[in-house]
Amino acid sequence: MKKHNFSAGPCILPDSVMQKAAHAVQELDGSGLSLIEISHRSPAFIEIMDKACASALDLLGLTGKGYKALFLQGGASMQFLATAYNLLENKGAYLNTGTWATKAIKEAKLLGEVVEVGSSADANFNYIPKNIEVPADADYLHITTNNTIFGTQIKTLPESDAVLVSDSSSDIFSRQLDFSKFGIIYAGAQKNMGPAGTTLVIVKEDVLGKVTHKIPSMLDYSIHASKDSMFNTPPVFAVYTSMLTLEWLTNLGGISAIEEKNNAKAALMYGEIDRNPLFKGFAAMEDRSTMNATFTLEEASLKEKFDSMCADALINGINGHRSVGGYRASMYNALPQESVQVLVDVMKELERIA
Ligand SMILES: *Cc1c(COP(=O)(O)O)cnc(C)c1O
């Protein structure tokens, strides 16, 4: 029996994607060869890479606007360093909205001056700082559009003339934003796009080539762009599976169609968290993430009961991150609304019997 998979990452992927990906490992499109045993320079794989890049730009509305899509390795964590390497000359401005942003700041500090233009560390990152001021001489402003661990999400992009860089690992392709405002968007595949092993980097080509220091080849976006993500052997399975998910999303009607579904799921989830006296939301209401709903049980004595009811209902992956505690229901693109309904029904049942 397939479980209701609320895992924060790696996480749920569409069934059809999983089936096609599994099949391609055995044999890619009747070629007599497995996806993972062919050359990444074969026409078949080059087509896969091209399609994945084209779909990513199309979905974001960035085709023909001077952007390049790259599929790299090392996770979002590697991009913490790579973004700084590629952009940091004077100083980098960072909005500190949680664990991942803190890690990005730590890496950038290896290379140069970093200013925190806002932080919600004072309240265990349960909100998004607003009205931030970015120094005029900052090379870029780094934000985390969705804070996976704390369940907050930036709803309005900050106004600034600096190049906007974003870690969008956990909400890429989940909602419409004006993506042309970004200089760089990066996202580890394993939250909303594919298996772990590749990281999508969308880069506006004119933000590159402005630093005076040398950049190690594997971290240099210009090199990866000039080689169409084939500077070294790309993670073919992760790229292929990501391509399938992007195709699935395109066929569904793109980001605006999935955003409607995601909003409906989030409304159902938060509606119950707010209605049910046994539960309490963690994140500030106006900053609540549509992807990761964080909440706690008001009475610790009910935890065992709730956990066993969830297990009986085949609910997987709702334990909160250790830095928040409680619960976290991750509702990525591929999670059906029925799964949210199952969780909501269990919460209602707990109230009834408590
Ligand atoms: C999961 C996550 C990361 C870490 O991604 P890796 O690919 O494991 O390096 C970074 N940022 C955010 C927002 C995440 O959700």
Side-chain angles (χ1 to χ4, degrees):
M1 263 293 258
K2 183 96 175 135
K3 292 189 174 172
H4 300 286
N5 190 1
F6 290 88
S7 174
C11 68
I12 187 166
L13 290 173
D15 274 342
S16 61
V17 167
M18 209 72 88
Q19 278 166 26
K20 282 184 202 162
H23 187 259
V25 170
Q26 293 183 312
E27 185 181 9
L28 179 65
D29 299 336
S31 64
L33 294 165
S34 161
L35 165 70
I36 57 174
E37 62 174 6
I38 58 170
S39 168
H40 57 289
R41 309 223 179 261
S42 63
F45 187 75
I46 289 174
E47 190 186 324
I48 290 165
M49 179 65 92
D50 286 350
K51 257 198 214 164
C53 294
S55 299
L57 291 177
D58 269 353
L59 283 163
L60 298 171
L62 294 177
T63 304
K65 294 191 176 163
Y67 287 82
K68 186 100 184 168
L70 308 172
F71 282 90
L72 306 181
Q73 298 183 67
S77 299
M78 186 69 95
Q79 307 318 314
F80 298 159
L81 184 60
T83 45
Y85 252 119
N86 283 271
L87 298 180
L88 207 167
E89 183 77 14
N90 287 319
K91 60 179 70 153
Y94 283 75
L95 183 61
N96 191 356
T97 51
T99 309
W100 299 116
T102 304
K103 291 188 179 193
I105 290 167
K106 179 172 175 235
E107 298 302 307
K109 279 185 177 164
L110 297 172
L111 291 179
E113 191 183 339
V114 165
V115 279
E116 266 188 43
V117 293
S119 170
S120 45
D122 58 351
N124 197 21
F125 300 111
N126 76 352
Y127 71 100
I128 302 286
K130 318 280 182 332
N131 303 319
I132 56 170
E133 281 191 32
V134 180
D137 61 347
D139 302 305
Y140 62 95
L141 167 64
H142 182 286
I143 61 174
T144 313
T145 49
N146 186 72
N147 297 281
T148 327
I149 292 174
F150 302 93
T152 62
Q153 189 172 38
I154 292 178
K155 305 293 173 182
T156 311
L157 295 177
E159 295 289 338
S160 142
D161 292 331
V163 172
L164 187 59
V165 177
S166 127
D167 175 359
S168 295
S169 292
S170 53
D171 71 347
I172 188 133
F173 304 122
S174 74
R175 61 168 171 158
Q176 243 355 315
L177 284 173
D178 183 355
F179 296 106
S180 68
K181 287 195 167 159
F182 293 85
I184 294 176
I185 306 169
Y186 62 90
Q190 71 275 17
K191 306 278 164 55
N192 220 5
M193 190 170 59
T198 193
T199 307
L200 175 64
V201 179
I202 305 282
V203 56
K204 193 167 191 207
E205 292 189 271
D206 68 9
V207 307
L208 300 177
K210 305 225 166 112
V211 293
T212 51
H213 57 250
K214 292 209 163 63
I215 306 174
S217 304
M218 278 298 282
L219 296 175
D220 189 336
Y221 292 142
S222 300
I223 289 185
H224 288 296
S226 71
K227 302 286 184 189
D228 294 319
S229 302
M230 303 266 197
F231 172 68
N232 71 324
T233 316
V236 294
F237 178 72
V239 173
Y240 179 72
T241 309
S242 299
M243 181 211 79
L244 293 176
T245 309
L246 298 177
E247 218 169 55
W248 167 84
L249 181 53
T250 303
N251 292 336
L252 217 77
I255 294 182
S256 55
I258 203 78
E259 181 173 23
E260 229 173 274
K261 290 180 194 284
N262 289 335
N263 286 344
K265 288 184 285 182
L268 179 60
M269 188 69 235
Y270 287 116
E272 180 61 16
I273 291 170
D274 292 339
R275 184 207 63 79
N276 192 321
L278 298 181
F279 295 94
K280 187 162 185 265
F282 172 77
M285 273 206 200
E286 77 269 18
D287 302 323
R288 281 173 163 177
S289 165
T290 53
M291 294 282 99
N292 316 95
T294 44
F295 56 100
T296 49
L297 246 181
E298 293 277 61
E299 276 178 63
S301 61
L302 290 172
K303 179 172 165 43
E304 218 170 297
K305 182 76 203 156
F306 181 58
D307 288 351
S308 85
M309 287 167 68
C310 285
D312 289 347
L314 299 179
I315 289 167
N316 172 69
I318 60 162
N319 278 335
H321 189 272
R322 61 190 176 280
S323 48
V324 177
Y327 296 92
R328 169 175 51 171
S330 296
M331 303 173 285
Y332 297 115
N333 285 353
L335 185 85
Q337 175 147 339
E338 299 83 80
S339 291
V340 181
Q341 189 63 56
V342 169
L343 175 56
V344 163
D345 289 345
V346 170
M347 292 163 78
K348 287 196 164 115
E349 179 65 8
L350 183 71
E351 180 192 19
R352 196 183 65 77
I353 64 173

